[in-house]
Amino acid sequence: MDESSPRAVTMRDVAQAAGVSVSTVSHVVNNKKGARIGKDAWERVQRAIEELGYRPNAMAKDLVKGRSRFIGLVADAIASTPFAGQIIRGAQDEAWRHGYVLLVANTEGNEAAETEALAMMLEHKVRGVLYSAWYHREVELPAGLTETDCVLVNCFASDSDIPAVVPDEVAGGRQAARMLLAAGHRRIGFINTTTPSPAHDGRLRGYREALDEAGVPFDPALVVDARPDQEGGFEAVGRLLDRGVTGVFCHNDRVAMGLYDGVRERGLRVPDDLAVVGFDNQEVIAAHLRPPLSTVALPHYELGLAGVRLLLGLDEPAPGGRVAVDCPPVHRSSVTAAPPG
Amino acid sequence: MDESSPRAVTMRDVAQAAGVSVSTVSHVVNNKKGARIGKDAWERVQRAIEELGYRPNAMAKDLVKGRSRFIGLVADAIASTPFAGQIIRGAQDEAWRHGYVLLVANTEGNEAAETEALAMMLEHKVRGVLYSAWYHREVELPAGLTETDCVLVNCFASDSDIPAVVPDEVAGGRQAARMLLAAGHRRIGFINTTTPSPAHDGRLRGYREALDEAGVPFDPALVVDARPDQEGGFEAVGRLLDRGVTGVFCHNDRVAMGLYDGVRERGLRVPDDLAVVGFDNQEVIAAHLRPPLSTVALPHYELGLAGVRLLLGLDEPAPGGRVAVDCPPVHRSSVTAAPPG
DNA sequence: ATGAAAGCGCTAACAC
DNA sequence: GTGTTAGCGCTTTCAT
């Protein structure tokens, strides 16, 4: 609480109090190695800093150095899912590790908000910006983006060469199918999403690859599309059960949750009558369904982290400019051995 | 993408290109009203800005004006629930409306991270900081907080006079109980949390007040404590059903989700055999359970919004320094009339 | 109607 | 070892 703003204490105040010059203060504040400062002056400065409660002015510092320590992060949906939150966490952790601070902007997909956010970031002379989406998809980039370094997180722009870090959907789909295959299932349903997307195509491909790998013939009748939420999962149950499926891979955990309901409604049980695997590893759902859901995790934290590493030039962008991050399987209790036969 | 950093374009560049002085440029950039600039010079400046792609340097601007346009927001859990996200949204929307930008820091409750975040904010000379918690609780404040203006969001510190904005738990509890009462229920169970907290006490009090209001005697046997998650709800079902309850108010939506499972396990149905009301209005759960859950919304967006208004002095702090925000009921399909008798 | 010049708090040569 | 000084990009009197 500043009582009537008694003017913030500056480096000059410290210098004066310690009886030294500002450059001496600057040296001790920044712990400059090359600088030879007398042990005695050093201590006087430290004490003055303590006593006056001096805080360096980051803006003055950045101004003189010509660049700021900000990294912008624009997110299209910060509250509807935990996904953006994880991206932010990952990005922030890595950014801080390198002395950077995140400038977060939530745009809710609103174009005006996006432009405003970008302008704000550009005016703060950010080191670069991370442009992220809450679900993996292609995006068209806002104009201002080309004015700074940029990396796309959980999204991509096919017509540009901007580096992007995205989840490896096909490897994820493979993992999901393998969990079922490993338990001995052979008739494995797949509830895919109705939304055209990398997730739709990638996971399907992964599912097919895993089937091939295991020598199980692909049966198109076993894959059905449904809205990627609980209602979609619920409605898909009948179709799948009719086809003699013993396990099903759901496009996401919400679908799996709806599917649980449908299974129960028919007096059946997970996993004994039907084994199920989800996708996303959305904690509130997956870890607390009955039984807890085996699923494949979407690596949002790692996506954010990898995004800043790429931006900062700590990692080399992959040849195609696209970095694919792994989706690890998470084993819980919704998969058991297939019934014999 | 800066190709080999050709030095950012500054106001001087614009001035030069337009054949005017920097102060003239400054005036047109900021649309200064008192300044009389010739229509002609004005246009030359505009054009130069366009052509050079000039962006004002926010840091230089803030530096000279002595204060920044940042508002710090420290959150203790940005990804585990959608709650922090909503707070951020509310705070950002209101902040932007007044020309401020949010400096978000996620601390995951880690004290070192908190100190670091605060130092970062202080060094950026934030206008003030919003200190928030993902669930309503008492907090002990990090040291640095007193160095700046501050308001607590979704939390409070009893020994200080720092203004706080929190949800009105008792009014919320009242709303929840009333939904059941209004449908004719008289034996209403309450699954409260095992965690001592404002939510625990407030919602219980609201529940009792609503009962009183309706002339229904309070029966202590009808309130049970349980872990505030699905498992807690599941386990509480038996206890409540034994006591002849026809409706139950759950401490939160996750508990309600677990309770649904328990009810089904007994071959019973929501809402016909048991009406249920949740709390939080956590979209993924409440809107997609079968049947969709009637609940009471926690006003996180409004909390964030009110927080910045308080910080900016746009609203007066309530007499006690604590602002209570309303928790509105959300009617869906988990409550119907009580069975006769 | 427009420009010159003095700083804002700090860093980095360079002087002593 | 420590001090002096010239800016960083901008706003803002105060001249003209």
Side-chain angles (χ1 to χ4, degrees):
Chain A
M1 276 347 142
D2 43 339
E3 43 246 24
S4 74
S5 300
R7 203 177 62 55
V9 10
T10 84
M11 213 163 200
R12 254 224 294 291
D13 301 327
V14 175
Q16 190 148 16
V20 297
S21 74
V22 290
S23 38
T24 302
V25 177
S26 176
H27 282 134
V28 355
V29 166
N30 298 299
N31 219 330
K32 268 287 172 26
K33 32 173 57 167
R36 293 91 33 95
I37 302 287
K39 191 169 185 13
D40 158 61
W42 180 283
E43 275 160 5
R44 267 163 29 234
V45 171
Q46 287 292 15
R47 195 166 23 246
I49 288 177
E50 281 299 279
E51 283 168 7
L52 301 185
Y54 169 71
R55 295 277 187 184
N57 183 324
M59 288 172 318
K61 181 182 268 183
D62 289 348
L63 178 57
V64 61
K65 308 197 86 150
R67 65 265 140 104
S68 83
R69 304 297 291 188
F70 289 123
I71 289 177
L73 167 28
V74 359
D76 63 346
I78 217 174
S80 16
T81 66
F83 305 147
Q86 305 272 34
I87 293 177
I88 294 177
R89 284 209 311 127
Q92 176 184 293
D93 286 356
E94 187 66 13
W96 282 25
R97 211 166 281 139
H98 303 284
Y100 283 89
V101 164
L102 242 44
L103 223 37
V104 177
N106 174 233
T107 63
E108 293 298 323
N110 172 340
E111 195 175 334
E114 215 163 65
T115 306
E116 188 183 3
L118 216 48
M120 172 277 270
M121 290 172 179
L122 259 12
E123 296 186 3
H124 281 93
K125 307 302 175 195
V126 292
R127 174 53 239 278
V129 357
L130 261 32
Y131 186 88
S132 78
W134 75 271
Y135 72 95
H136 183 184
R137 62 192 173 91
E138 173 162 12
V139 291
E140 3 70 41
L141 303 173
L145 257 199
T146 48
E147 287 181 45
T148 183
D149 287 337
C150 171
V151 0
L152 304 178
V153 174
N154 206 31
C155 58
F156 59 93
S158 44
D159 54 338
S160 92
D161 56 349
I162 299 188
V165 21
V166 297
D168 190 336
E169 304 285 1
V170 358
R174 229 186 287 127
Q175 292 287 10
R178 276 186 191 150
M179 292 173 81
L180 264 356
L181 257 359
H185 294 273
R186 288 299 173 264
R187 286 194 68 75
I188 299 176
F190 177 25
I191 308 181
N192 206 349
T193 177
T194 44
T195 321
S197 59
H200 174 97
D201 300 348
R203 294 176 199 173
L204 175 57
R205 202 171 126 216
Y207 162 83
R208 296 194 57 165
E209 288 181 8
L211 252 34
D212 280 357
E213 218 173 70
V216 175
F218 170 67
D219 178 355
L222 265 33
V223 3
V224 306
D225 285 359
R227 275 179 46 193
D229 60 12
Q230 288 89 334
E231 288 72 17
F234 182 81
E235 286 156 16
V237 186
R239 288 184 271 168
L240 252 19
L241 255 18
D242 289 349
R243 292 163 195 172
V245 135
T246 64
V248 14
F249 162 28
C250 299
H251 180 261
N252 67 28
D253 295 346
R254 303 177 67 192
V255 166
M257 176 172 161
L259 183 144
Y260 270 47
D261 282 343
V263 168
R264 273 187 294 237
E265 189 122 320
R266 287 171 169 71
L268 266 23
R269 308 186 64 96
V270 172
D272 305 305
D273 300 308
L274 192 66
V276 4
V277 170
F279 211 103
D280 287 4
N281 193 31
Q282 197 170 349
E283 173 75 11
V284 245
I285 294 178
H288 299 281
L289 247 19
R290 299 192 68 83
L293 180 67
S294 294
T295 188
V296 172
L298 235 20
H300 290 106
Y301 182 91
E302 290 75 14
L303 255 25
L305 191 151
V308 336
R309 293 191 63 84
L310 225 51
L311 185 66
L312 259 23
L314 267 26
D315 287 340
E316 285 310 312
R322 192 110 27 124
V323 176
V325 180
D326 229 58
C327 301
V330 177
H331 297 274
R332 280 194 273 247
S333 322
S334 59
V335 177
T336 42
Chain B
M1 275 353 138
D2 41 338
E3 42 245 25
S4 75
S5 299
R7 203 178 62 54
V9 12
T10 84
M11 215 162 197
R12 253 225 294 291
D13 301 327
V14 176
Q16 192 148 15
V20 298
S21 73
V22 289
S23 34
T24 301
V25 177
S26 177
H27 283 132
V28 354
V29 167
N30 298 298
N31 219 328
K32 267 289 175 14
K33 33 174 54 171
R36 290 94 32 98
I37 302 287
K39 190 167 185 14
D40 157 61
W42 181 283
E43 274 160 5
R44 266 161 33 234
V45 171
Q46 287 294 15
R47 195 165 25 246
I49 289 178
E50 281 301 277
E51 283 167 7
L52 302 186
Y54 169 71
R55 295 275 188 186
N57 182 324
M59 287 173 317
K61 181 182 266 183
D62 289 347
L63 178 57
V64 61
K65 309 197 84 149
R67 77 264 147 84
S68 83
R69 303 296 292 187
F70 288 124
I71 288 177
L73 168 28
V74 0
D76 63 346
I78 218 174
S80 16
T81 65
F83 305 146
Q86 305 273 34
I87 293 176
I88 294 176
R89 286 209 312 126
Q92 177 184 291
D93 285 356
E94 188 65 14
W96 282 24
R97 212 165 281 141
H98 302 284
Y100 283 89
V101 164
L102 243 42
L103 223 38
V104 177
N106 175 233
T107 63
E108 293 297 322
N110 172 340
E111 196 174 334
E114 215 163 65
T115 306
E116 187 183 3
L118 216 48
M120 172 279 268
M121 290 172 181
L122 259 12
E123 295 186 3
H124 281 93
K125 308 301 175 196
V126 292
R127 173 54 237 278
V129 358
L130 261 32
Y131 185 88
S132 77
W134 75 271
Y135 73 95
H136 183 186
R137 63 190 172 91
E138 173 161 14
V139 291
E140 4 68 44
L141 304 172
L145 258 199
T146 49
E147 286 181 46
T148 183
D149 287 337
C150 171
V151 0
L152 304 178
V153 174
N154 206 31
C155 58
F156 59 93
S158 45
D159 54 338
S160 92
D161 55 349
I162 299 189
V165 20
V166 296
D168 190 336
E169 304 284 2
V170 359
R174 229 185 287 128
Q175 293 286 10
R178 277 185 191 152
M179 291 172 82
L180 264 356
L181 257 359
H185 293 274
R186 288 300 176 263
R187 285 193 70 73
I188 300 176
F190 178 24
I191 307 180
N192 206 351
T193 177
T194 43
T195 322
S197 60
H200 174 98
D201 300 349
R203 293 175 200 174
L204 176 57
R205 201 169 128 219
Y207 163 83
R208 297 194 56 165
E209 288 181 7
L211 254 32
D212 280 357
E213 220 172 68
V216 174
F218 170 67
D219 179 353
L222 265 33
V223 2
V224 306
D225 286 359
R227 275 179 44 193
D229 61 11
Q230 288 89 334
E231 288 72 18
F234 182 81
E235 286 155 15
V237 186
R239 288 185 270 166
L240 251 18
L241 254 18
D242 290 348
R243 293 166 194 171
V245 137
T246 64
V248 14
F249 163 28
C250 299
H251 181 261
N252 67 29
D253 296 345
R254 304 177 66 192
V255 166
M257 176 172 162
L259 183 144
Y260 270 49
D261 282 343
V263 167
R264 274 187 293 238
E265 189 122 320
R266 288 170 170 71
L268 268 20
R269 308 186 64 96
V270 172
D272 305 306
D273 299 308
L274 191 67
V276 3
V277 169
F279 210 103
D280 287 4
N281 194 32
Q282 198 170 349
E283 173 73 12
V284 245
I285 294 179
H288 299 280
L289 248 18
R290 297 192 69 83
L293 180 66
S294 295
T295 189
V296 172
L298 235 21
H300 291 106
Y301 181 91
E302 291 75 14
L303 256 24
L305 190 151
V308 338
R309 292 192 62 82
L310 225 51
L311 185 66
L312 259 24
L314 267 25
D315 288 339
E316 285 309 313
R322 191 110 29 123
V323 176
V325 180
D326 229 58
C327 300
V330 178
H331 298 275
R332 281 193 273 246
S333 322
S334 58
V335 176
T336 42

